[in-house]
Amino acid sequence: MRAVLQQQDMHSIKLFCIGKVRKKIIKLANCRKFQVYCIGAPRTGTTSISGIFHDYYRSGHEVDSEDVLKYAFDYQEGKIGLEELERFVIERDKRLHLEMDSSTHNFYLVPVLIRLFPDAKFLIPVREVISWAESYL
């Protein structure tokens, strides 16, 4: 039994290391195949969309959501200027380098995202209203 556990552990470690190496290679390649922002409302499929892309592309769901909301609201309230908001978005993009950035919070950044990334695509998932409302019950 101990040998079986050790084999399973080694297999898990090997898969983990392969995954880590794969991510590093992709990051080092620094080539984005595409840049998409999913800006759906809550419960319209932003999590599922991120999951669809996750295995083969750099994809994230609501990554840094607290910071995104803080900067977006600070900008809307006049606490920070457009330059600081843009700096945050650029630094976040450089750090994460996502191909699929799926988040309901991206809605607040759309004008800035369009301005900074004119070649980016925007995906807006739509859900039938009755099932959407029932998902909250």
Side-chain angles (χ1 to χ4, degrees):
M1 175 135 175
R2 185 169 177 87
V4 171
L5 286 175
Q6 288 176 346
Q7 279 185 319
Q8 288 174 343
D9 290 342
M10 291 304 292
H11 181 69
S12 296
I13 291 169
K14 185 177 178 182
L15 289 177
F16 176 77
C17 290
I18 289 170
K20 295 284 256 184
V21 169
R22 181 182 160 272
K23 285 182 180 181
K24 285 196 184 270
I25 289 170
I26 289 171
K27 195 167 189 172
L28 288 173
N30 202 26
C31 60
R32 200 180 293 192
K33 291 182 175 51
F34 55 86
Q35 185 174 16
V36 178
Y37 291 95
C38 179
I39 56 170
R43 299 186 182 271
T44 58
T46 56
T47 304
S48 297
I49 289 167
S50 176
I52 289 168
F53 287 87
H54 183 72
D55 286 344
Y56 301 101
Y57 304 100
R58 287 179 301 276
S59 178
H61 180 256
E62 305 211 347
V63 180
D64 294 342
S65 60
E66 287 182 21
D67 287 338
V68 169
L69 289 174
K70 178 192 178 312
Y71 275 87
F73 292 152
D74 283 354
Y75 174 70
Q76 288 179 351
E77 294 169 3
K79 294 178 181 176
I80 64 170
L82 180 59
E83 191 174 295
E84 189 171 344
L85 179 61
E86 288 179 345
R87 186 172 28 256
F88 164 73
V89 171
I90 290 168
E91 288 172 2
R92 180 178 179 270
D93 180 68
K94 284 181 181 176
R95 181 172 44 85
L96 299 173
H97 203 65
L98 296 174
E99 290 165 305
M100 168 56 75
D101 185 348
S102 185
S103 173
T104 59
H105 306 128
N106 286 338
F107 168 81
Y108 300 105
L109 302 176
V110 169
V112 173
L113 294 171
I114 290 171
R115 181 176 160 175
L116 294 175
F117 309 110
D119 294 328
K121 306 297 182 219
F122 292 84
L123 177 63
I124 304 169
V126 178
R127 183 172 176 181
E128 188 271 324
V129 71
I130 300 299
S131 69
W132 178 79
E134 288 176 344
S135 73
Y136 278 96
L137 302 176

